[in-house]
Amino acid sequence: MADGHRSREGSRAALIALIVVAALGFAAAVIADWPGHFPPDGLTQLAQGRAGVFNAWHPPVLAWLLGVADRIIPGAPLIIVVQALLFFAGVAGLAAAARPGWGAAAMTGLIAASPIVLVYQGLVVKDVLFADVALFGFAALALATRAWERRLARGVLIALALAGFILAVLARQNGVLAAGAGVLCLAAVAAAKARTGPTIRRFVIVTVASAAVVGIGVASAGAWFTAHGDHRPERARQWSVLALFDLAGAARRDPTLPLPLLHARDPALEDFVRRDAARAYDPDRVDTLAGTARWGRYMLKPNPLLDAQWRAMLTASPVAYLAARTEVFGRMFAPADEEDCAPVLVGVDPANPALLRAAGLAARETDKDDWDADYEDQAVHSPIFSHPAYALIALVLLAWAGWDLRRRGRPEMIATVGLLASALAFTASFTVISLGCDFRYLYFLDVAAMAALVQRAGRVRPPRRSPRPG
């Protein structure tokens, strides 16, 4: 009895330590990054949020949040408070659902001190917001499995999880992979917790119901953003830009690449692809194509003929397509030099004065920004900024979580499995959609691996001492 009491007291103390360390990490990130690091994408979305008119090239939800934050405190620094809160709440929540030991607090302290968290959480881009809300959604689901018998707590936590998954879809175009995994995990938890009735039927019902909630939430928000948008067909144009990027990459590799649709219907467009685009092609950056002479003629609106030729290439010249795509993904996932992929951009980008005025900000590079940059530079060539390292961690922890789930019957690990599996699937999706090398694109993978590592560290228990013979 005394040993059990000491064990409960130790677990409670370890949980309190985890919460305290997470709170300190949150405070440190906000202090280090205040008032936020704004690269060009962040400035663009802040300008849209201030104007209340959204452009769909970037998902508008971050622009809307920035507009709300800017009305509270000019410059929208509160957005980094929201991001850091979501991240540390997600890390602590995922670990707390597994009844953590002291290792969870220690690992949380380590990741909180690393520049990929301490500095990166201040970067105002959709990729950081997406990673944080997706983690938060899975953490809320994990906590719901622990509170399943308490109806009110369960309902609140499920609502928070679904809200996180809705926001994940709104924040990132391929965020639907995280939301889909979250919906399936919720259904799996409901089936595992069922005391009576067929579990398969419950799984299907909960899947349909939760998918409907997410779908309605996304559709409703999307309709509102469309009503307040600039009505430019940017989502369709994104596919045309992707088509040009892939065609240019394939033509750069093979100048004899057949382009029969362009040749027959628009020889000048074929010439643009073969000459201008293929010569300017850089697997690290789609931006080099925008500097070509005829970009404005062909790419300022959706180009259905390019889209059709791209689809034809997938079946007619799959080797050329896959070779170009493999190079693009390889440079993003494991670049030869991490600095080529802009791991961290600090301060406020000074390149576009008109954009700065629209965003209500001034160019900024303070001593604190320089400290952030120097701190990041010390680790940029280490595993701390290595997506392959986090992918390996995620694969190992995914297998471990699956073993816990299957052999030990730990339903809270369903959420961990979903988090890691969706992060790996999200990463794999960039083999098709990546438009260049940017470290932030795969930040969700790193966040998921770090959170699962904290949870696993909290499951490590010191060996029990055998009682001495009397």
Side-chain angles (χ1 to χ4, degrees), residues 102-355:
W102 292 96
M107 186 60 69
T108 300
L110 288 175
I111 68 168
S114 68
I116 199 172
V117 172
L118 184 64
V119 178
Y120 222 88
Q121 283 297 315
L123 191 63
V124 182
V125 288
K126 63 180 180 289
D127 310 270
V128 175
L129 176 66
F130 163 72
D132 292 343
V133 298
L135 169 62
F136 180 83
F138 282 106
L141 178 56
L143 288 171
T145 66
R146 306 297 306 183
W148 202 260
E149 304 305 323
R150 303 192 297 275
R151 183 173 298 180
L152 178 59
R154 179 183 68 193
V156 170
L157 288 166
I158 289 175
L160 289 173
L162 292 175
F165 299 142
I166 291 170
L167 190 51
V169 178
L170 293 172
R172 200 68 174 81
Q173 293 93 329
N174 50 346
V176 67
L177 295 170
V183 164
L184 293 176
C185 287
L186 174 56
V189 170
K193 291 289 187 176
R195 293 181 176 179
T196 59
T199 57
I200 294 178
R201 179 181 177 186
R202 183 180 291 267
F203 178 86
V204 172
I205 291 173
V206 175
T207 298
V208 172
S210 53
V213 170
V214 173
I216 292 171
V218 171
S220 300
W224 189 88
F225 288 134
T226 299
H228 293 80
D230 59 10
H231 305 296
R232 295 179 183 176
E234 296 290 57
R235 291 179 181 173
R237 191 168 77 91
Q238 284 179 332
W239 287 109
S240 294
V241 172
L242 175 64
L244 175 65
F245 186 66
D246 287 347
L247 289 167
R252 176 71 173 262
R253 285 177 161 271
D254 179 10
T256 65
L257 178 76
L259 300 174
L261 295 180
L262 301 185
H263 186 76
R265 301 181 192 178
D266 194 338
L269 178 55
E270 179 191 14
D271 184 68
F272 168 64
V273 172
R274 292 191 186 278
R275 290 167 57 88
D276 299 6
R279 290 176 180 175
Y281 176 79
D282 181 351
D284 288 340
R285 288 285 178 271
V286 72
D287 299 348
T288 58
L289 301 184
T292 55
R294 289 180 281 181
W295 172 271
R297 177 179 175 183
Y298 292 112
M299 302 307 300
L300 294 186
K301 60 182 180 179
N303 194 317
L305 184 55
L306 268 180
D307 300 346
Q309 182 62 78
W310 178 76
R311 291 191 296 270
M313 179 181 65
L314 300 184
T315 55
S317 305
V319 174
Y321 168 77
L322 290 174
R325 275 280 120 204
T326 300
E327 182 181 20
V328 172
F329 180 75
R331 289 186 178 223
M332 177 182 66
F333 182 66
D337 187 345
E338 286 80 359
E339 292 186 1
D340 292 340
C341 292
V344 176
L345 300 173
V346 300
V348 177
D349 188 270
N352 191 329
L355 183 56

Side-chain angles (χ1 to χ4, degrees), residues 39-46 48 54-64 124-127 170-173 225 234-235 237-238 438 440-441:
D41 288 354
L43 289 172
T44 298
Q45 295 209 275
L46 176 54
Q48 292 174 21
F54 308 110
N55 178 274
W57 183 269
H58 296 287
V61 69
L62 177 57
W64 173 72
V124 182
V125 288
K126 63 180 180 289
D127 310 270
L170 293 172
R172 200 68 174 81
Q173 293 93 329
F225 288 134
E234 296 290 57
R235 291 179 181 173
R237 191 168 77 91
Q238 284 179 332
D438 208 323
R440 61 188 171 93
Y441 292 165

